[in-house]
Amino acid sequence: SEMCIRDRVNSIIKKRNIGYQSISASRYAAGLRQGMKNDTGGRLIDLLVIGAVVEARSCERFERVSPNLDFELMKFYTGLLESERRHFTIYTNFAYKFESVYAKPINYVDQRIAYFLNLDKDLIQKVDSEFRFHSGPVLNNTAF
């Protein structure tokens, strides 16, 4: 559960004596949300598709980062990867259900997925000034 993950994160942070630091929001999720439709059904489907895209991208990043971590963090990130995979499936399944509920054309969700994956591609290829889990390349290495 989310509470369990939060507890595990807090435990790891405390154990490693890492202090909390306030950071600005990533432009990634905001950039994806800018492409959302405004009608009720379209907006809901887009929120679900965006959630699925974020979860899929998280899976990729957890998979790439995990082998480079110490055993404790590798195990934790691998667990997160599995959780993100489940979330991706949940979001896409709901999006497809709402496609018919809101009488959207056949393949509507597939088209929205393709649209947001294209937007995602643009967002992760653009340079960021700060390092974030979903950032693009960072201008300099001092940003993190």
Side-chain angles (χ1 to χ4, degrees), residues 43-55:
R43 183 172 177 79
L44 177 57
I45 289 169
D46 282 357
L47 280 170
L48 292 165
V49 169
I50 288 169
V53 169
V54 169
E55 300 297 308

Side-chain angles (χ1 to χ4, degrees), residues 58-120:
S58 295
C59 282
E60 292 173 353
R61 293 196 174 199
F62 284 135
E63 196 168 55
R64 296 291 298 220
V65 167
S66 294
N68 300 300
L69 302 173
D70 62 65
F71 182 75
E72 178 186 32
L73 285 181
M74 180 184 68
K75 187 175 172 185
F76 178 66
Y77 272 48
T78 301
L80 289 177
L81 187 149
E82 294 305 318
S83 175
E84 302 295 279
R85 271 195 193 122
R86 285 190 303 275
H87 294 158
F88 167 80
T89 303
I90 290 167
Y91 285 134
T92 53
N93 286 344
F94 274 117
Y96 285 114
K97 285 182 184 182
F98 284 116
E99 180 180 71
S100 61
V101 167
Y102 287 104
K104 296 294 184 184
I106 294 173
N107 296 327
Y108 178 83
V109 171
D110 292 334
Q111 291 168 6
R112 297 309 289 162
I113 289 171
Y115 169 80
F116 283 108
L117 285 176
N118 191 50
L119 187 53
D120 163 86

Side-chain angles (χ1 to χ4, degrees), residues 32-44:
L32 289 175
R33 285 192 301 271
Q34 286 179 351
M36 287 179 21
K37 299 268 187 185
N38 288 326
D39 63 289
T40 303
R43 183 172 177 79
L44 177 57

Side-chain angles (χ1 to χ4, degrees), residues 6 15 26 36 38 77 81 107 113 125 131-132 144:
R6 187 176 351 176
K15 183 178 175 182
S26 161
M36 287 179 21
N38 288 326
Y77 272 48
L81 187 149
N107 296 327
I113 289 171
Q125 289 180 343
F131 175 77
R132 298 289 183 266
F144 57 96

